């Protein structure tokens, strides 16, 4: 056997050994904790230290956002659906067994997402889901079976508030609304999370991005754009980035 073949064989055997050990560890975790909890430990890390929580009232933050949208993204603002009444929100919660935090209730009292087929956004690359659509998407993506429970069980309570149509976006975890970090950004492709201390932190960062023209409507391209290098600096004041 040539030296190169010997080295290649050792690498293959080492890879197989590592894979076997990882597979055994995975089976042990599933057996000990159950598929849902084991998947949560692997795919849904707890947020680390988070920035201070914004104390500005959510209604004031939403009023500021509306002013920013009037000048920076009027097309998106014009297409937003009217807000829901408190009674309508409570009925949706009752029907689906949900308890929304006050800030998210205030969001849907302000506006109830975008109509189906709308192409004008208020967050670049993301669609503002109506509360009814967010609940429907959550119901349609519930895990089924042991493998699904392991891979997706931690997403059982996730409501997609602002989604990109491909499983990424800004979510509310309805199972963690009493804990900081219950509103977050998630990119499924690389398990990237951005945990916001609160929804108010997200709104404060969004308003700052609009105020500094980091997010703005490009009339030539007819699309809402974002300077991602500059926006990362803003978001870091309001959220904690967790890379895989």
């Amino acid at each position: 056997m040539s030296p190169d073949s010997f080295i290649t064989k050792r690498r293959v055997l080492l890879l197989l050994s590592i894979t076997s050990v990882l597979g055994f560890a995975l089976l042990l975790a599933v057996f000990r904790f159950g598929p849902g909890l084991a998947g949560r430990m692997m795919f849904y890390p707890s947020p680390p230290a988070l920035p201070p929580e914004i104390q500005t009232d959510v209604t004031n933050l939403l009023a500021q956002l509306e002013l920013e949208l009037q000048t920076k993204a009027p097309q998106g603002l014009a297409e937003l659906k009217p807000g829901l009444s408190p009674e309508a929100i409570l009925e949706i919660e009752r029907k689906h067994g949900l308890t929304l935090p006050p800030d998210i209730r205030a969001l849907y009292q302000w506006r109830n997402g975008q109509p189906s087929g709308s192409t004008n956004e208020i967050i670049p690359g993301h669609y503002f889901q109506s509360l009814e659509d967010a609940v429907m998407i959550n119901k349609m993506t519930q895990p089924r079976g042991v493998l699904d429970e392991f891979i997706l069980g931690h997403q059982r309570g996730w409501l997609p508030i602002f989604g990109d149509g491909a499983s990424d976006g800004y979510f509310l975890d309805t199972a963690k609304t009493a804990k900081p970090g219950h509103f977050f950004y998630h990119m499924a492709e690389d398990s990237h999370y951005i945990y916001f201390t609160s929804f108010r932190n997200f709104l404060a960062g969004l308003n700052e991005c609009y105020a500094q023209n980091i997010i703005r409507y490009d009339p030539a391209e007819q699309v809402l754009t974002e300077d991602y290098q500059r926006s990362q600096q803003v978001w870091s004041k309001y959220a904690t980035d967790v890379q895989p």
Side-chain angles (χ1 to χ4, degrees), residues 95-107:
K95 181 179 178 181
H96 298 284
L98 296 172
T99 301
L100 300 176
D103 288 352
I104 298 298
R105 288 193 188 120
L107 170 68

Side-chain angles (χ1 to χ4, degrees), residues 89-229:
I89 294 174
L90 286 172
E91 176 59 23
I92 292 172
E93 290 181 293
R94 183 200 63 78
K95 181 179 178 181
H96 298 284
L98 296 172
T99 301
L100 300 176
D103 288 352
I104 298 298
R105 288 193 188 120
L107 170 68
Y108 282 109
Q109 286 181 245
W110 172 69
R111 294 289 193 281
N112 187 30
Q114 299 171 241
S116 178
S118 173
T119 57
N120 288 308
E121 305 155 346
I122 63 171
I123 297 176
H126 293 81
Y127 183 87
F128 181 14
Q129 304 286 355
S130 70
L131 183 54
E132 300 91 336
D133 284 349
V135 171
M136 180 188 68
I137 293 170
N138 171 266
K139 298 295 183 185
M140 291 175 60
T141 55
Q142 289 295 301
R144 295 173 177 84
V146 175
L147 182 59
D148 259 13
E149 186 65 33
F150 171 68
I151 297 174
L152 300 172
H154 60 284
Q155 299 183 16
R156 187 178 295 279
W158 291 12
L159 284 185
I161 308 299
F162 302 98
D164 71 347
S167 302
D168 302 331
Y170 296 84
F171 295 87
L172 166 74
D173 188 344
T174 60
K176 294 173 55 178
T177 55
K179 299 179 181 179
H182 61 261
F183 186 82
F184 55 90
Y185 171 82
H186 177 244
M187 179 174 283
E189 289 84 349
D190 60 2
S191 296
H192 176 201
Y193 289 86
I194 301 175
Y195 289 104
F196 294 88
T197 313
S198 69
F199 181 64
R200 279 171 281 126
N201 282 52
F202 168 75
L203 285 178
L206 182 61
N207 286 337
E208 188 170 332
C209 285
Y210 269 114
Q212 295 185 20
N213 286 317
I214 294 171
I215 296 177
R216 63 183 182 84
Y217 185 77
D218 185 339
E221 299 292 333
Q222 297 186 342
V223 67
L224 196 64
T225 64
E226 178 176 351
D227 184 333
Y228 289 100
Q229 288 187 335

Side-chain angles (χ1 to χ4, degrees), residues 59-74 77 80 110-111 207 210:
T59 56
N60 293 334
L61 291 168
L62 289 169
Q64 181 184 347
L65 176 60
E66 181 146 357
L67 291 175
E68 296 291 351
L69 293 175
Q70 287 173 359
T71 57
K72 308 290 175 54
L77 177 63
L80 294 181
W110 172 69
R111 294 289 193 281
N207 286 337
Y210 269 114

